[in-house]
Amino acid sequence: MDIDELLIIDDCKADFVIYKRLLSSVKHNFDAITHIDSIEGALAYINETKPQCCILDYNLPDGNAKQFVQQLHKSVGGAKFPIIVSTGAGDERIAVEMMQLGVQDYLVKGKMTASELLRAIRNAIRTFEMEQKLHFLAHTDPLTGLLNRALFTNRLEHAVKFCDRNQTELSLIYLDLDNFKLINDSYGHDVGDVVLQNVAKKLTESVRETDSVARLGGDEFVIMLHETQSYQGHFVVQKLLSKIPEAIRLDNLTLHISPSIGLVCYPGTADNYKELMKQADEALYKAKHRGRAQYVKFSQEEKSEWQRKVAMMRAIPEAISNRDIKFAYQPILNVTSQEYDMVEALVRWQFNHSLVPALDVVNLILRNDMYLEFHKFMFLEVLTQLKQWQQNKPSLIMSINIPANIVHNKRVLEILYEQLNRLSIPYSSIVLEITETHLMKKSELTMNVLQEIHDKGIQIAIDDFGTGYSSLEYLSDLPCNKLKIDQKFFRDTRNRKKNRAIIQATTTLGHQLDLKVVAEGIETEFGVEESISLGCDYVQGFWYSQPTYPEDDWCAFIRKAKKSGFKTA
């Protein structure tokens, strides 16, 4: 049972008797007053019990008060109780020094009355409690009670150094919640907060008391498993993958939520704690792209890929400013007129003598938070090229890919409008392509922004249609003009009969909704025949032309592009 105890650390028994006599003459709340006469004895004693307050003599047989407090910081991270230092002579220098070490008060022996002693004790306890509250607020997430980013990072840094000194290992688990934003949007932030608190509880229940669990912000959490080998980290991850999805019941609401998890171990692939955090984040990023409720362990095999990605992250700002990122263009054939009256702009970046896939370029830009700079550059380049080509072909339409989450940014749209107005390009000359899987995560904000774009005359195309668990509801809601049937339906000859039925159904549906249908990724004669016979309005693919760097004259560009294809139209 906990008791309120005053601990007096003083090698002079007479001083201890004086303290007891002074306190006996006033009303105090201590159940016990304990005397210890050395630093060694005091350190051993407080390992077993925690006093409510401590009076510490500055000079002791085996050291002084400064050394005692420093040993407390080294062994247990600081005093867990208020400390009052006492000395036989007043010394302001010592007083200041002890206060800087975290001591709450300073007394001079022989100059105190009973009331002054009691007042000093009570003030020290109040000061300590206030300091503990401030420390809690400064180092703890207020919503979940977990560690915050600052304290966790500090602990991780020290834990990595401990591993280096003692040849031990640790595991770092980085996780966030799948589709958590949908819960906030659908049920409100109060429900979202309860979910976060529930998940925090499950995390702490799944690990040891000696492990560290933190909320980094939003729905991101991180766990450090001290002195564990990689297989033990794997077992904890498996426990989390089964425990977190357990139903959360709130009044009449039942919620199911799953985590995506990244795991990395030290030592191994990282040289320091900063790299360790980045690699755990990268593993989480990969897990999210594999689907819901997945986990990825960052391994040595992935390190070279990660290092290349880090190098690209550092290089891409300069690549944008130096215009090292280029745009290739792929003509799109109008089946009815047999003319190329639409062209798609595709991003190209050569990094260290190899071509970076377009999707990787876009993801790097988004992760580097450079989407404003990139889209300003892209709109300038692509629309300037369109303006030049429209001198020969005024009806030419430019198709531009844009992530669905970027259309929320009003500044990106303002930049687009500004460039169109500056170059006097009709808004109807532009098609914005948005991938279907991004649109499946549509929010009311997305719908409103797309409607604004559509109302201005800019066309909207749903890219990769058929790959995102298509919903007829969103097709009726979305203000779109074109459907682009994903290339897999034209390439997968093993399921030719089923694919033909899907293409035909999609084309019929599109036409009934007054949408133009584009067949993309056409590389074979079969694909050409299927797309045309089943009523597609436009055809795009290597069979006709590969993405090609531009020529000043549209007709010269078409001749060059047609030569690059497997067969001309």
Side-chain angles (χ1 to χ4, degrees):
M1 183 177 67
D2 292 337
I3 63 171
D4 292 335
E5 177 185 21
L6 174 65
L7 175 63
I8 298 175
I9 307 172
D10 197 316
D11 62 328
C12 179
K13 186 73 177 285
D15 287 341
F16 170 66
V17 172
I18 292 172
Y19 287 128
K20 285 196 71 173
R21 189 181 72 243
L22 290 172
L23 290 173
S24 67
S25 64
V26 292
K27 186 177 180 181
H28 63 79
N29 297 320
F30 296 117
D31 299 316
I33 300 176
T34 303
H35 176 226
I36 296 177
D37 60 6
S38 67
I39 289 177
E40 182 181 0
L43 289 172
Y45 185 77
I46 61 177
N47 277 333
E48 303 297 328
T49 186
K50 185 179 79 170
Q52 189 184 16
C53 187
C54 171
I55 297 176
L56 172 66
D57 189 20
Y58 185 79
N59 291 302
L60 292 161
D62 51 352
N64 59 35
K66 179 180 177 181
Q67 293 168 327
F68 174 77
V69 174
Q70 287 173 335
Q71 288 190 54
L72 282 180
H73 281 286
K74 185 176 179 180
S75 61
V76 294
K80 307 302 180 186
F81 46 82
I83 296 175
I84 302 169
V85 171
S86 67
T87 184
D91 189 327
E92 291 186 3
R93 180 185 57 81
I94 291 177
V96 170
E97 187 177 39
M98 295 309 301
M99 291 295 189
Q100 289 173 341
L101 286 174
V103 168
Q104 280 65 47
D105 208 343
Y106 182 85
L107 292 173
V108 179
K109 291 182 180 180
K111 293 185 178 180
M112 71 183 89
T113 64
S115 59
E116 288 172 341
L117 175 60
L118 184 61
R119 189 184 309 114
I121 291 172
R122 288 175 174 171
N123 286 340
I125 292 172
R126 281 195 294 266
T127 301
F128 179 79
E129 289 175 347
M130 182 61 68
E131 289 170 350
Q132 292 296 101
K133 288 178 181 178
L134 291 174
H135 184 274
F136 180 85
L137 293 173
H139 296 94
T140 309
D141 172 53
L143 177 65
T144 62
L146 300 178
L147 306 181
N148 65 10
R149 181 185 293 272
L151 182 55
F152 180 85
T153 303
N154 180 267
R155 285 195 182 182
L156 179 63
E157 181 181 7
H158 284 87
V160 165
K161 291 177 180 177
F162 181 86
C163 289
D164 293 338
R165 286 194 306 269
N166 299 280
Q167 286 79 53
T168 58
E169 301 176 25
L170 67 81
S171 296
L172 188 66
I173 297 171
Y174 204 138
L175 67 91
D176 72 5
L177 306 178
D178 300 321
N179 298 327
F180 177 72
K181 184 177 183 299
L182 186 60
I183 291 178
N184 273 339
D185 291 344
S186 302
Y187 305 109
H189 288 278
D190 289 345
V191 171
D193 287 349
V194 174
V195 170
L196 293 174
Q197 291 167 339
N198 189 285
V199 169
K201 185 172 183 291
K202 290 179 179 179
L203 295 181
T204 53
E205 290 173 347
S206 301
V207 299
R208 303 163 300 183
E209 288 187 8
T210 53
D211 297 323
S212 299
V213 185
R215 179 183 174 222
L216 301 183
D219 62 326
E220 290 188 347
F221 298 87
V222 64
I223 301 171
M224 177 170 57
L225 305 174
H226 298 264
E227 299 186 65
T228 55
Q229 297 179 354
S230 58
Y231 75 90
Q232 294 169 304
H234 168 78
F235 289 149
V236 174
V237 168
Q238 293 297 336
K239 185 189 296 186
L240 296 175
L241 286 172
S242 62
K243 189 175 183 67
I244 292 177
E246 292 173 357
I248 300 172
R249 292 180 175 82
L250 306 171
D251 298 327
N252 297 323
L253 186 64
T254 301
L255 298 173
H256 296 270
I257 196 160
S258 61
S260 292
I261 299 176
L263 171 67
V264 65
C265 300
Y266 186 89
T269 53
D271 295 327
N272 54 61
Y273 78 97
K274 291 181 180 179
E275 277 192 6
L276 197 66
M277 281 290 286
K278 290 175 182 177
Q279 290 177 3
D281 183 41
E282 179 66 19
L284 169 62
Y285 182 77
K286 284 196 166 189
K288 291 196 76 65
H289 279 73
R290 289 187 184 180
R292 298 175 59 184
Q294 299 282 327
Y295 107 85
V296 169
K297 181 181 183 295
F298 193 93
S299 63
Q300 193 67 43
E301 290 73 23
E302 294 172 300
K303 187 173 182 179
S304 58
E305 179 188 343
W306 173 74
Q307 288 174 328
R308 173 176 164 80
K309 187 174 290 187
V310 169
M312 289 192 296
M313 285 280 284
R314 292 171 179 165
I316 203 160
E318 187 175 352
I320 294 173
S321 62
N322 291 344
R323 299 178 180 270
D324 293 333
I325 293 178
K326 308 295 183 184
F327 294 92
Y329 299 86
Q330 187 172 40
I332 302 173
L333 181 73
N334 185 319
V335 172
T336 302
S337 67
Q338 286 294 295
E339 290 189 15
Y340 294 101
D341 55 16
M342 188 158 61
V343 62
E344 180 179 355
L346 298 162
V347 65
R348 293 290 183 267
W349 183 31
Q350 290 280 344
F351 178 75
N352 287 349
H353 311 294
S354 63
L355 184 66
V356 181
L359 183 59
D360 288 351
V361 176
V362 172
N363 286 333
L364 284 166
I365 289 164
L366 293 177
R367 294 189 74 178
N368 232 348
D369 201 23
M370 292 200 67
Y371 52 86
L372 280 178
E373 294 88 342
F374 172 74
H375 283 89
K376 184 175 183 179
F377 161 67
M378 179 179 72
F379 292 147
L380 175 63
E381 293 287 311
V382 169
L383 296 180
T384 299
Q385 185 61 63
L386 174 62
K387 182 67 175 179
Q388 185 170 346
W389 280 338
Q390 284 186 336
Q391 294 176 12
N392 304 109
K393 191 174 181 62
S395 62
L396 182 64
I397 293 173
M398 179 69 75
S399 191
I400 304 171
N401 292 278
I402 187 167
N405 56 326
I406 292 303
V407 300
H408 295 167
N409 191 296
K410 289 188 176 181
R411 184 56 192 144
V412 170
L413 297 179
E414 287 170 0
I415 292 170
L416 174 60
Y417 303 150
E418 287 167 5
Q419 293 294 345
L420 289 170
N421 294 334
R422 184 182 67 83
L423 294 166
S424 300
I425 295 176
Y427 283 35
S428 58
S429 296
I430 301 300
V431 177
L432 293 184
E433 292 193 20
I434 304 176
T435 304
E436 180 196 5
T437 49
H438 292 157
L439 287 172
M440 286 299 291
K441 301 172 184 176
K442 65 183 176 69
S443 64
E444 186 177 350
L445 176 59
T446 304
M447 300 295 289
N448 292 338
V449 173
L450 292 177
Q451 187 63 56
E452 175 196 321
I453 296 170
H454 188 266
D455 290 344
K456 285 182 176 292
I458 294 174
Q459 300 181 60
I460 296 170
I462 302 176
D463 196 14
D464 298 338
F465 186 79
T467 62
Y469 307 102
S470 310
S471 165
L472 296 181
E473 178 188 1
Y474 86 75
L475 264 186
S476 64
D477 290 342
L478 281 172
C480 58
N481 306 86
K482 291 180 171 65
L483 294 181
K484 298 190 76 172
I485 301 177
D486 188 75
Q487 56 191 343
K488 71 177 235 180
F489 296 107
F490 299 98
R491 290 182 179 177
D492 184 6
T493 55
R494 292 174 302 175
N495 296 307
R496 181 170 293 186
K497 186 174 180 181
K498 291 181 179 179
N499 287 342
R500 180 182 173 87
I502 291 172
I503 296 166
Q504 186 170 36
T506 302
T507 304
T508 301
L509 175 63
H511 289 160
Q512 289 178 344
L513 294 173
D514 200 24
L515 305 175
K516 298 296 184 182
V517 179
V518 183
E520 61 179 346
I522 303 301
E523 296 183 354
T524 64
E525 187 172 4
F526 163 72
V528 173
E529 293 172 354
E530 291 289 82
S531 58
I532 294 176
S533 66
L534 294 175
C536 293
D537 303 289
Y538 293 90
V539 185
Q540 174 184 6
F542 285 5
W543 182 262
Y544 296 105
S545 64
Q546 296 186 34
T548 305
Y549 290 111
E551 299 287 335
D552 291 342
D553 180 80
W554 171 252
C555 296
F557 168 72
I558 287 297
R559 287 194 296 270
K560 177 181 173 184
K562 287 169 69 173
K563 287 179 183 179
S564 74
F566 300 141
K567 180 176 175 134
T568 58

